[in-house]
């Protein structure tokens, strides 16, 4: 690491910045740093130190700290929305749609754990954060709609409103980003699949009453 | 609000600072500001603005921003630990202890919602935060121990480890700090009691399988 004014990569390669980081990798490392220290407590200087490159090298890839946040939470939200879009179009009965929504959401949480962790911790301190928080709320409303339909068929308990059941279910579902680590104990995809089956069972047990 | 150098309260009253704030009230307002903007994103200047007093008036009550955090999360942790201490000593069977632990934890979350919200969002960026995070982990372990005993009696499902069941249950339980507002819909204590009954039922339904 030298502090010269020479850019780390001044060739006309399409991949700019220090060799070893493409934009996706750089963003992923930054998201992990945000998740350890908190987004607000993380400075561009801290990101540069973790990446082992200069701040100006980071600016070759992204315009700002907020642009990194925006990219990551948009990625998570797009995947979560696509999951519910798939459920809505599959023609299954309401109870099966609820199960598929839970299972699909858990899969996205495993696949995009760092991005979802960041999303779940947003406070709404900026326009980017507020827009993400609103999209997150809309996901809760959509799960609530699935639960309301399942209440009407008797598949889901009715002593709690569908919207509050959605919040409770997501509280349980979202907790996995704080404790589940892929590949710990059981290898690879099989481990994630087993965890998803087990957590889906616990959530459904609560919803059925 | 004038910017004179005169302290807001220079009498020899035992209550220092601007009339209207005792230490407890001041801390509670600060905790609410932390919860809106995030602890790291909140400066002493922002706290002063919300309180309508000068930064030096805040320093009459507390030594630092971290001292406010410490006071609030210690308050929450003491109450949560006291709840589990009470459960452990009540002589009930394991299944009933689990139910009482869930119900008691929910009651603390209602009673100390701002303090628990702050506690749940800590990242461990300082010695005070790390100590609080460790006490929080110990609470999860203690609930896991209650669940393990209840698994042995057949009251709780055994297809998920007791420690992971504790994490899932607390994910659902802790979610209430983000959405439950006392007195909304049903008045006062009755509303909280009904919510606690309902959420306890959903959590137990999931644990029983």
């Amino acid at each position: 690491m030298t502090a010269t004014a020479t850019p780390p990569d001044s060739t006309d390669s399409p991949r700019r910045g220090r060799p070893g980081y493409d934009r996706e990798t750089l963003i992923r490392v930054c998201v992990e740093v945000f998740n350890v220290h908190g987004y607000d407590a993380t400075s561009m200087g801290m990101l540069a130190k973790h990446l082992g490159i200069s701040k100006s090298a980071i600016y070759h890839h992204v315009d700002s700290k907020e642009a990194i946040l925006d990219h990551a939470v948009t990625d998570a939200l797009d995947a979560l929305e696509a999951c519910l879009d798939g459920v809505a179009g599959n023609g299954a009965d309401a109870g099966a749609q609820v199960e598929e929504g839970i299972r699909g959401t858990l899969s996205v949480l495993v696949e995009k754990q760092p991005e979802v962790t960041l999303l779940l911790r947003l406070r709404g301190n900026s326009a980017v954060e507020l827009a993400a928080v609103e999209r997150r709320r809309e996901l809760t409303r959509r799960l609530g709609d699935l639960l309301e339909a399942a209440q009407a068929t008797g598949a889901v308990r009715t002593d709690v409103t569908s919207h509050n059941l959605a919040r409770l279910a997501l509280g349980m579902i979202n907790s996995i980003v704080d404790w589940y680590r892929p590949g710990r104990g059981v290898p690879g995809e099989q481990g994630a699949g087993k965890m998803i089956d087990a957590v889906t069972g616990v959530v459904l047990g609560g919803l059925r009453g």
Side-chain angles (χ1 to χ4, degrees), chain A:
Chain A
M1 301 310 308
T2 55
T4 68
T6 315
D9 186 342
S10 53
T11 70
D12 37 7
S13 156
R15 193 176 73 186
R16 294 181 298 176
R18 189 186 180 84
Y21 287 116
D22 54 26
R23 186 163 184 267
E24 292 303 310
T25 307
L26 178 136
I27 288 174
R28 194 153 185 121
V29 173
C30 293
V31 169
E32 280 161 9
V33 179
F34 292 158
N35 286 339
V36 170
H37 299 284
Y39 174 74
D40 292 312
T42 304
S43 64
M44 288 298 270
M46 287 164 72
L47 294 176
K49 195 175 165 192
H50 276 272
L51 288 157
I53 60 178
S54 66
K55 282 199 271 186
S56 65
I58 298 178
Y59 286 118
H60 277 286
H61 291 285
V62 292
D63 289 340
S64 63
K65 192 176 94 162
E66 192 168 40
I68 302 170
L69 176 82
D70 191 17
H71 184 281
V73 300
T74 298
D75 189 25
L77 286 161
D78 286 351
L80 292 165
E81 288 169 2
C83 158
L84 291 188
D85 291 344
V87 170
N90 75 356
D93 69 61
Q97 289 199 5
V98 166
E99 176 165 353
E100 201 184 320
I102 293 166
R103 202 176 283 280
T105 299
L106 286 165
S107 301
V108 173
L109 266 54
V110 169
E111 194 192 336
K112 298 188 182 291
Q113 188 159 5
E115 293 79 8
V116 175
T117 301
L118 185 61
L119 172 68
L120 294 174
R121 292 182 184 157
L122 289 187
R123 298 264 55 78
N125 280 333
S126 66
V128 164
E129 291 187 48
L130 282 169
V133 166
E134 183 46 40
R135 283 179 73 184
R136 201 175 69 193
R137 287 203 186 108
E138 179 60 22
L139 287 165
T140 306
R141 280 191 287 267
R142 288 179 67 183
L143 179 60
D145 290 344
L146 291 179
L147 287 163
E148 191 176 4
Q151 284 178 323
T153 69
V156 164
R157 67 196 301 149
T158 55
D159 61 339
V160 180
T161 65
S162 55
H163 194 54
N164 284 347
L165 283 179
R167 290 155 152 169
L168 290 170
L170 286 171
M172 185 172 272
I173 291 165
N174 291 337
S175 76
I176 73 157
V177 304
D178 289 327
W179 59 263
Y180 178 69
R181 296 294 171 268
R184 194 187 279 177
V186 191
E189 278 312 292
Q190 195 196 341
K194 276 185 69 173
M195 182 281 291
I196 289 169
D197 285 346
V199 174
T200 301
V202 177
V203 175
L204 286 177
L207 295 174
R208 285 181 191 134

